[in-house]
Amino acid sequence: MDKRTNEEWIADLRAGGDQQAQALEDLRAIILRGLPYAIAGRIAPNSPQSEALVEEIVQETLMRVLEYLDTFEGRSQFTTWAHKIAVRAALTELRRVRWREVPLPEMGMDEEGDASYRELPDRQASPEDQVDRKDMMKRINRIIMEELTEKQRKALMAVAMQGFPLEEAAQRMGMNRNALYKLMHDARLRLKKRMEKEGLTPQQVLSVFEQVGK
Amino acid sequence: MKFKQAFHRLFGSNKQKPAYPQNGMQADKSEMMQKMLTMLSNTQDVELTCDEVFAVLDQFAELAAQGEDVTGLMPLVQHHLDMCADCWDEYKVLESIIQNVA
């Protein structure tokens, strides 16, 4: 039976005994119907790896649902709330599997004030554009090095510039995802304000890079 | 069929799909700079954190599925989703589940 009202779900899951066991079994079936949408395109759906992962995620989700039952405020369907927990558990695990071999990139600075990440020649850019871009890049790099802590630079390089998942970067940096988002928000604000102080807006700087190839 | 539709919705037009590992993972230097500048350009003084967004993501996703103007109703949630690829991915999966399963 999965047509319970929110109140019925809460009551059954709190009841203990057979009533709770039946509710957990029904919730398990509901979560299993949603999980393919989290897994699709990320791992092969019928592989042994997928089956083991699904079982792990369902167990974890049911445990979390019981643990956080008191925090459900009834602002959505109870099942949507449970799916949300399952999706977080699934994507966290899938990101971990996918990125576990990838080292977290570092951002350093060489003697000329240039960031140490790889530069590729842009065949579409005119020599003038390339000079403009290089100068601007150096200026921005210097602001980054002067304004941000090593941790903020590392986070910015990994997440904002190279698309590293926040959750995975946070775990490698010994933080949780929430704390890393706050750290990056603070870093972005510092950079934005410093650039404003120097008479630069992100849009202006962006235009130097975007005009190339037009 | 529904599964296929959900698949395309999930992975066919994800506007902020993160750069998953691939050969030659490092992006072009200026491309990385552009990504960062775009984020700076969209940075607001007050932003919600991942936990704050997660707390209301179910409500946000249901309202969006009902055709409500979630950007107007919950602008800070929408902004966080535009800034955070992890939360965006989770939202898109939840949206697909609501549309196809719930």
Side-chain angles (χ1 to χ4, degrees):
Chain A
M1 184 186 92
D2 59 21
K3 293 293 179 194
R4 294 173 175 88
T5 63
N6 285 354
E7 292 72 23
E8 286 168 341
W9 274 113
I10 302 292
D12 288 352
L13 287 169
R14 280 187 181 143
D18 289 347
Q19 199 176 337
Q20 184 191 51
Q22 184 60 54
L24 284 171
E25 198 181 316
D26 294 340
L27 191 56
R28 177 190 170 81
I30 291 167
I31 292 164
L32 279 172
R33 289 205 295 272
L35 278 179
Y37 295 90
I39 288 170
R42 292 175 168 95
I43 55 170
N46 295 316
S47 64
Q49 185 196 16
S50 163
E51 285 172 23
L53 186 74
V54 164
E55 186 52 38
E56 191 184 322
I57 293 164
V58 171
Q59 290 299 328
E60 193 179 328
T61 303
L62 293 176
M63 276 173 53
R64 286 192 196 174
V65 164
L66 291 177
E67 188 182 348
Y68 295 109
L69 201 54
D70 289 343
T71 69
F72 176 64
E73 294 176 342
R75 293 185 195 167
S76 68
Q77 294 292 312
F78 179 79
T79 49
T80 304
W81 182 76
H83 280 305
K84 173 182 79 170
I85 292 170
V87 169
R88 166 65 65 96
L91 293 201
T92 297
E93 182 57 18
L94 288 165
R95 288 181 192 117
R96 193 189 63 76
V97 170
R98 186 109 195 213
W99 287 80
R100 66 185 159 197
E101 307 290 338
V102 184
L104 205 59
E106 302 273 352
M107 183 191 262
M109 181 85 110
D110 64 23
E111 285 173 1
E112 291 180 353
D114 203 2
S116 63
Y117 47 88
R118 188 178 64 163
E119 182 170 23
L120 296 178
D122 189 335
R123 292 184 182 84
Q124 291 180 311
S126 69
E128 292 81 14
D129 283 341
Q130 291 203 22
V131 169
D132 284 351
R133 287 169 82 180
K134 197 163 184 178
D135 287 348
M136 187 61 86
M137 196 101 79
K138 272 191 178 166
R139 203 169 162 190
I140 300 300
N141 284 334
R142 197 167 290 285
I143 291 175
I144 290 173
M145 297 305 285
E146 287 174 5
E147 283 295 321
L148 304 187
T149 65
E150 193 182 335
K151 214 168 188 177
Q152 285 175 321
R153 289 199 298 270
K154 194 170 191 171
L156 207 67
M157 180 69 180
V159 180
M161 296 168 107
Q162 294 218 344
F164 222 88
L166 199 63
E167 180 111 33
E168 193 56 23
Q171 203 252 332
R172 308 268 185 102
M173 293 172 72
M175 314 169 75
N176 65 39
R177 174 167 155 183
N178 208 53
L180 184 56
Y181 189 87
K182 281 184 188 169
L183 179 122
M184 288 186 60
H185 178 228
D186 184 50
R188 286 187 276 113
L189 278 177
R190 287 179 75 93
L191 289 180
K192 199 174 178 181
K193 282 175 183 165
R194 171 69 185 273
M195 283 167 70
E196 279 167 9
K197 224 175 184 177
E198 297 204 4
L200 294 169
T201 66
Q203 293 92 332
Q204 278 173 337
V205 182
L206 205 50
S207 69
V208 173
F209 294 95
E210 285 175 342
Q211 63 188 263
V212 175
K214 279 185 182 171
Chain B
M1 190 61 188
K2 273 188 171 180
F3 189 87
K4 272 190 175 176
Q5 285 168 350
F7 183 89
H8 287 300
R9 247 197 306 277
L10 268 176
F11 305 107
S13 60
N14 190 340
K15 65 175 177 176
Q16 287 193 337
K17 197 174 178 181
Y20 284 107
Q22 53 193 327
N23 289 337
M25 177 198 154
Q26 273 197 314
D28 179 300
K29 190 173 179 178
S30 61
E31 190 186 314
M32 291 196 291
M33 188 62 82
Q34 282 186 51
K35 277 187 197 169
M36 191 197 67
L37 290 166
T38 304
M39 286 196 88
L40 287 188
S41 173
N42 295 327
T43 294
Q44 295 181 355
D45 285 350
V46 178
E47 293 184 9
L48 295 183
T49 64
C50 298
D51 285 353
E52 288 166 331
V53 169
F54 184 72
V56 296
L57 196 64
D58 45 341
Q59 184 189 3
F60 182 90
E62 282 190 355
L63 287 171
Q66 290 159 15
E68 298 287 342
D69 172 22
V70 282
T71 304
L73 289 170
M74 302 167 93
L76 288 176
V77 176
Q78 182 66 59
H79 180 263
H80 180 94
L81 294 177
D82 290 339
M83 298 295 283
C84 178
D86 286 30
C87 289
W88 172 259
D89 279 350
E90 290 166 15
Y91 166 63
K92 294 307 284 181
V93 174
L94 189 59
E95 181 188 55
S96 293
I97 292 172
I98 290 171
Q99 287 171 347
N100 295 286
V101 177

